[in-house]
């Protein structure tokens, strides 16, 4: 039954993407769609229990991997409320396993309480907490070494986009990760234009696809053809139930990282965008 469902899914994928090259469609079908929710510093026990119930009761596309980035203090609580096919992620983790780093949490601690993922390099960590490309890459290296999967965020500001520097900025951020990451199996990249995060101003599907395609070219030239074909690249920035389907049709968009809408029932429609 599972095999039949996968074959039907692939057939529909090929039909939908008749305009793209055979290789890009084949690679797309091989990358499992992955949708992350980033709850940021929002929620309490009551509201988290409500969101977890919505997600537990919903009919979610089995072809989509779902990960919830939960505030650290509620991770274990959410883990216990969510079905086991939904992963949970920390929203940050430090670059060493333990020690005198007041206020920090480590990948080892995330794993200990059942989180398998961590979101790193989010633009809010970069802008508000002044995290550098280098520190983020070191965190990525350590989290992967500890056996966590990572959502590695990148993205340009409005000023950088308007100055025509989008590709340079995302290349610089990718380069920092690439200096520290040897095995990309457990990495998902989230391309999140900063001007689209929390603003209601989504990138058009064409704008997002253009950067995703550039990132694949960058990966092919600077990492490997295999990683370029297999690495999942999410789009993030004001994704909603209303715009997710159009974005999900683009061949290099392999899922979403979702802030505001991941706290609402419409998150289910985003998860099911490829259904
Ligand atoms: C985010 O926080 O990663 C994000 C994309 O937020 P929003 O969906 O609210 O723009």
């Amino acid at each position: 039954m599972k095999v039949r469902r996968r074959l039907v899914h692939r057939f529909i994928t090929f039909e939908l993407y008749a305009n793209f090259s055979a290789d890009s469609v084949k690679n797309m079908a091989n990358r499992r769609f992955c949708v992350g929710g980033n709850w940021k510093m929002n929620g309490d026990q009551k509201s988290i229990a409500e969101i977890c119930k919505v997600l537990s009761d919903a009919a979610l596309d089995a072809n989509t991997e779902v990960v919830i980035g939960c505030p650290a203090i509620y991770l274990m609580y959410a883990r216990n409320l969510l079905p086991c096919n939904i992963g949970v992620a920390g929203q940050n983790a430090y670059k060493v396993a333990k020690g005198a780093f007041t206020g920090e949490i480590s990948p080892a601690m995330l794993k200990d309480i059942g989180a398998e993922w961590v979101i790193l390099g989010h633009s809010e960590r970069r802008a508000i907490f002044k995290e550098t490309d280098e520190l983020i890459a070191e965190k990525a290296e350590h989290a992967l070494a500890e056996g966590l999967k990572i959502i590695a965020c990148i993205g340009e500001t409005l000023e950088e986009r308007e100055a025509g520097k989008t590709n340079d900025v995302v290349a610089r951020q990718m380069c920092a990760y690439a200096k520290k990451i040897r095995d990309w199996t457990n990495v998902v990249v989230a391309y999140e234009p900063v001007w689209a995060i929390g603003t209601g101003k989504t990138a058009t599907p064409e704008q997002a696809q253009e950067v995703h395609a550039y990132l694949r070219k960058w990966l092919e030239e600077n990492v490997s053809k295999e990683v370029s074909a297999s690495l999942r690249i999410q789009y993030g920035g004001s994704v909603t139930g209303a715009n997710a389907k159009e974005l999900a049709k683009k061949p290099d968009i392999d899922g979403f990282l979702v802030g505001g809408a991941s706290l609402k029932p419409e998150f289910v429609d985003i998860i099911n965008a490829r259904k």
Side-chain angles (χ1 to χ4, degrees):
M1 195 59 198
K2 247 188 177 166
V3 173
R4 195 171 165 267
R5 200 171 53 208
R6 272 191 190 281
L7 284 174
V8 170
H9 178 73
R10 278 197 188 179
F11 176 73
I12 292 169
T13 309
F14 275 97
E15 285 288 294
L16 262 174
Y17 298 97
N19 289 335
F20 298 104
S21 80
D23 257 5
S24 77
V25 176
K26 194 178 91 205
N27 292 337
M28 177 193 185
N30 285 335
R31 296 187 296 262
R32 188 173 177 210
F33 205 68
C34 180
V35 175
N38 176 13
W39 291 349
K40 313 193 188 198
M41 198 176 73
N42 291 302
D44 52 22
Q45 291 189 63
K46 185 170 174 287
S47 64
I48 287 175
E50 283 163 13
I51 309 170
C52 291
K53 180 155 180 15
V54 169
L55 291 172
S56 305
D57 292 349
L60 304 181
D61 186 346
N63 291 310
T64 295
E65 183 166 16
V66 184
V67 183
I68 299 294
C70 178
I73 198 160
Y74 296 122
L75 271 168
M76 203 145 108
Y77 179 65
R79 176 63 292 160
N80 290 333
L81 290 172
L82 287 167
C84 52
N85 60 342
I86 295 184
V88 296
Q91 298 175 7
N92 183 28
Y94 199 49
K95 62 176 179 177
V96 294
K98 62 179 177 175
F101 302 101
T102 304
E104 292 294 307
I105 57 170
S106 71
M109 291 169 178
L110 289 175
K111 277 190 76 184
D112 191 41
I113 54 97
E116 304 150 310
W117 289 81
V118 64
I119 299 169
L120 294 172
H122 190 280
S123 73
E124 288 147 19
R125 303 264 359 140
R126 292 175 187 265
I128 303 169
F129 302 100
K130 308 293 174 221
E131 293 196 7
T132 61
D133 291 345
E134 288 68 34
L135 173 62
I136 294 160
E138 285 172 349
K139 289 181 174 192
E141 181 182 29
H142 178 63
L144 290 168
E146 290 284 309
L148 281 182
K149 293 179 256 192
I150 68 168
I151 296 180
C153 304
I154 57 170
E156 83 288 0
T157 62
L158 184 59
E159 204 183 12
E160 289 163 340
R161 172 163 282 259
E162 285 177 348
K165 291 186 185 154
T166 299
N167 289 356
D168 294 346
V169 171
V170 295
R172 189 202 74 222
Q173 293 166 332
M174 287 302 294
C175 192
Y177 284 122
K179 278 189 189 152
K180 298 288 179 189
I181 297 175
R182 289 288 151 264
D183 181 352
W184 291 77
T185 317
N186 287 333
V187 181
V188 169
V189 165
Y191 165 61
E192 301 201 292
V194 180
W195 48 271
I197 297 179
T199 59
K201 227 183 183 189
T202 325
T204 64
E206 291 68 33
Q207 281 175 320
Q209 167 60 26
E210 195 182 349
V211 180
H212 284 229
Y214 171 74
L215 289 168
R216 285 211 195 282
K217 186 167 146 279
W218 188 92
L219 285 161
E220 185 166 340
E221 287 167 3
N222 294 280
V223 180
S224 72
K225 208 172 171 179
E226 292 67 35
V227 171
S228 168
S230 61
L231 183 75
R232 292 179 293 176
I233 308 177
Q234 298 172 322
Y235 165 77
S238 297
V239 176
T240 64
N243 60 30
K245 264 200 187 308
E246 283 308 305
L247 286 158
K249 284 182 187 161
K250 292 296 177 190
D252 289 304
I253 297 181
D254 306 310
F256 304 115
L257 185 56
V258 186
S262 69
L263 293 154
K264 302 177 190 162
E266 73 181 283
F267 189 49
V268 170
D269 300 325
I270 299 173
I271 292 168
N272 290 337
R274 280 261 179 96
K275 215 175 178 180

